[in-house]
Amino acid sequence: MTTSTERWIRNYVDGEFIDPDPQRSFDNLDPTTGALVGRVHEADSPMVDRAVAAARRALHRGWADTPVRERAELLRRAANRIEERFEEFVAAEIADTGKPITQARELDVARAPANFRAFADIAAAAGQESFLTDLAGGRQALNYAVRKPLGVVAVIVPWNLPLLLLTWKVAPALACGNAVVVKPSEETPSTANLLAEVLQEVGLPQGVYNVVHGFGAGSAGELLTAHPGIDGVTFTGSSATGTHVMRTVAPRVKPVSFELGGKNAAVVFDDVDLEEALTGLTRSVFTNTGQVCLCTERVYVQRGIFDDIAEGLAERAARLRLGAPLDPATTTGPLISQAHRDKVLGYFELAEQAGAEVIAGGGIPELGTALNAGSWIEPTLWTGLTNADRPIREEIFGPVAALIPFDTDDEAIALANDTEYGLAAAVWTNDLRRGHRVAQQMRVGISWVNTWFTRELRSPFGGAGLSGIGREGGESSLHFYTEPTNVCVQL
Ligand code: NAD
């Protein structure tokens, strides 16, 4: 039952929040305690139709033809306004995810204005390709490309970094003159709505940004990707869902950009600065409770320092502080939901069956009455597994990694590349020649040396294999969110 005092998270279509239908709604829960955050209005088929139609009308009303300079200016105003309302975004992200306040501020919400500013700059500075083509008889033709907006873009994002990943797609889509229909994760609906308010406040024309809430299969996600009125899909989520979306979109041959799962390796050489590597590995395994697509779940360590790294990392895992998100000393939040914790615990069982030795964590922590109803889990490390074991082959998406020894560079490269995924890798070494060589041989979209999650928004970002299709970031985003027409003029 709902009461009038409950907080409603509504769909946002054609510049307005739509009154909710209590018959068609679901709970938004706080994962730290299991308490109700609000009720979310699930979009049905007519609501998705309305959103797509509103987006189309907005394009025709002139948004698609707005000078890029004006669109860039609007994106910059949006960045400023997010900063003015920064703490509201932080609070909304925390209510949905339970992530620690320091992380919500420094990573999640900080990246939203950064995304808007970066794509304002990138779009405003973009040039066009042009070629002079030699023809018979000494004549020439001038070829140039005119990049037009793709049109109505469906933006589907997950729950792990909700605002960061949403703005990573919405900013370039708008910069290129598209209208969007956004479907946030059912677990984290709030910041997409706050962004709607911000975009309205800075004067984005009605219908250019729409939000429909709901689940995937049989709900708003599938209704949107199956909709004949969309011109492309940009999707971040699991590889399994990516294959569903691809099938749904295939009959209409729409462009897709897929940023999918990972099973990322770190390779630690014995020449490394131990402290530096341990600090880096602690971040790369446990940031956001391991719920970052880029997180390390496989740590390959050169045999001579294996015990040092295993002991040092286990010690650091034990020192992580799980607790209430508003406590600035908290380093680690809960998993997003009980269902996700069940999945992660399933891998704990599989690891034990495969003979893993648990050198840190391994279970559910005792955090006191209020928090015990939340979906908490201990930061966990395993040794004794091999690349043949399921916990090493499948993405777990929790605060957990396995440490595996290696002897030679070639062996490390082969072990790291022995996966169907191909998102990210991190190489830890004091030998820069080795760092470049090994990093380049990783079959991944991004390969770090002596760092992790250091992002340059002008660089191409994406994954190989099961980790995705296409790249976004910098010019790659401009390419995805536009459709070029080559004009050829005989001179
Ligand atoms: P998910 O695939 O379950 O859901 C992602 C989004 O897709 C949600 O909004 C969901 O409602 C929607 N969805 C689900 N089924 C759908 C369907 N059939 N049709 C249309 N939409 C559908 O992923 P998740 O559990 O929310 O997020 C975690 C996953 O995301 C992990 O695998 C992680 O690695 C991946 N991820 C990848 C990146 C990247 O940049 N490569 C970044 C973050 C997260």
Side-chain angles (χ1 to χ4, degrees):
M1 277 303 290
T2 61
T3 68
S4 57
T5 52
E6 266 173 6
R7 182 171 159 253
W8 272 100
I9 296 162
R10 296 172 293 167
N11 294 295
Y12 180 76
V13 174
D14 208 11
E16 56 178 344
F17 288 99
I18 309 294
D19 283 342
D21 172 0
Q23 302 306 318
R24 210 179 151 81
S25 64
F26 57 94
D27 291 348
N28 178 24
L29 302 180
D30 173 353
T32 65
T33 59
L36 188 71
V37 173
R39 304 271 307 153
V40 188
H41 182 188
E42 183 183 0
D44 56 7
S45 181
M47 184 73 73
V48 174
D49 285 346
R50 270 170 79 177
V52 172
R56 178 71 57 200
R57 278 197 305 277
L59 290 173
H60 289 321
R61 271 197 302 261
W63 172 249
D65 301 318
T66 317
V68 67
R69 183 173 27 83
E70 283 177 28
R71 295 199 299 260
E73 196 39 50
L74 197 138
L75 262 57
R76 290 192 188 98
R77 288 205 300 274
N80 296 343
R81 189 69 188 131
I82 292 169
E83 281 171 349
E84 285 163 13
R85 300 187 61 178
F86 195 84
E87 292 303 327
E88 286 176 72
F89 279 97
V90 169
E93 209 70 303
I94 289 174
D96 283 359
T97 63
K99 58 181 76 196
I101 188 161
T102 40
Q103 189 209 304
R105 283 188 178 139
E106 288 164 21
L107 174 65
D108 292 79
V109 180
R111 258 292 290 284
N115 283 336
F116 276 104
R117 291 199 178 103
F119 287 106
D121 291 348
I122 291 163
Q128 301 289 358
E129 308 129 274
S130 68
F131 302 95
L132 272 179
T133 309
D134 290 324
L135 304 175
R139 305 187 67 177
Q140 284 189 312
L142 170 65
N143 282 276
Y144 60 93
V146 186
R147 290 201 165 269
K148 303 166 191 168
L150 199 51
V152 177
V153 179
V155 179
I156 300 190
V157 282
W159 45 258
N160 61 326
L161 301 167
L163 181 69
L164 184 159
L165 293 168
L166 176 65
T167 52
W168 167 246
K169 293 175 178 302
V170 167
L174 299 187
C176 292
N178 298 285
V180 296
V181 181
V182 162
K183 210 297 283 171
S185 168
E186 56 275 25
E187 305 281 1
T188 53
S190 302
T191 43
N193 279 26
L194 267 182
L195 186 63
E197 290 179 21
V198 159
L199 292 172
Q200 200 170 45
E201 285 162 1
V202 300
L204 187 76
Q206 78 184 72
V208 175
Y209 175 89
N210 305 275
V211 186
V212 291
H213 290 291
F215 303 87
S219 180
E222 194 173 37
L223 289 168
L224 183 58
T225 50
H227 202 286
I230 59 161
D231 298 300
V233 177
T234 177
F235 171 80
T236 301
S238 66
S239 303
T241 307
T243 64
H244 287 295
V245 172
M246 199 158 185
R247 269 192 227 110
T248 308
V249 173
R252 296 196 174 82
V253 197
K254 301 296 181 195
V256 291
S257 172
F258 280 167
E259 299 182 328
L260 307 180
K263 187 71 191 178
N264 310 303
V267 174
V268 190
F269 288 101
D270 62 7
D271 59 38
V272 82
D273 178 318
L274 274 182
E275 271 305 306
E276 194 180 76
L278 284 168
T279 303
L281 288 169
T282 307
R283 277 186 66 228
S284 80
V285 175
F286 299 117
T287 293
N288 206 41
T289 318
Q291 303 168 116
V292 180
C293 54
L294 305 165
C295 272
T296 303
E297 292 192 0
R298 300 179 291 143
V299 185
Y300 298 103
V301 186
Q302 205 156 18
R303 204 171 299 273
I305 57 163
F306 187 85
D307 291 344
D308 293 334
I309 291 286
E311 277 163 32
L313 201 54
E315 210 175 275
R316 281 165 174 75
R319 283 211 300 264
L320 291 171
R321 196 146 146 201
L322 281 60
L326 296 183
D327 179 346
T330 297
T331 59
T332 308
L335 292 172
I336 190 67
S337 63
Q338 299 288 352
H340 187 48
R341 184 169 73 174
D342 289 344
K343 179 190 150 187
V344 176
L345 287 171
Y347 283 101
F348 283 22
E349 254 180 67
L350 280 175
E352 256 180 63
Q353 285 161 17
E357 187 188 339
V358 181
I359 61 165
I364 294 174
E366 177 58 48
L367 294 174
T369 39
L371 296 181
N372 274 347
S375 39
W376 298 89
I377 198 157
E378 287 175 337
T380 295
L381 294 168
W382 300 314
T383 58
L385 295 174
T386 74
N387 271 18
D389 297 315
R390 270 184 66 194
I392 305 295
R393 303 216 68 78
E394 298 171 15
E395 182 186 51
I396 301 173
F397 219 56
V400 52
L403 290 89
I404 296 175
F406 70 87
D407 292 299
T408 66
D409 294 28
D410 286 349
E411 190 190 353
I413 294 164
L415 284 167
N417 284 339
D418 175 23
T419 172
E420 287 183 281
Y421 291 95
L423 191 57
V427 180
W428 297 91
T429 175
N430 266 345
D431 177 344
L432 261 189
R433 276 187 297 190
R434 182 185 235 173
H436 283 286
R437 190 178 66 239
V438 174
Q440 286 178 28
Q441 290 187 63
M442 295 290 158
R443 196 185 60 97
V444 292
I446 185 160
S447 197
W448 283 291
V449 181
N450 297 333
T451 183
W452 175 79
F453 209 169
T454 304
R455 293 280 289 109
E456 163 56 65
L457 305 183
R458 292 168 296 185
S459 291
F461 179 86
L466 279 187
S467 295
I469 295 180
R471 295 291 182 271
E472 296 196 36
E475 295 235 326
S476 304
S477 291
L478 303 188
H479 286 176
F480 178 72
Y481 293 105
T482 58
E483 184 88 59
T485 298
N486 183 84
V487 178
C488 177
V489 185
Q490 181 160 312
L491 301 176

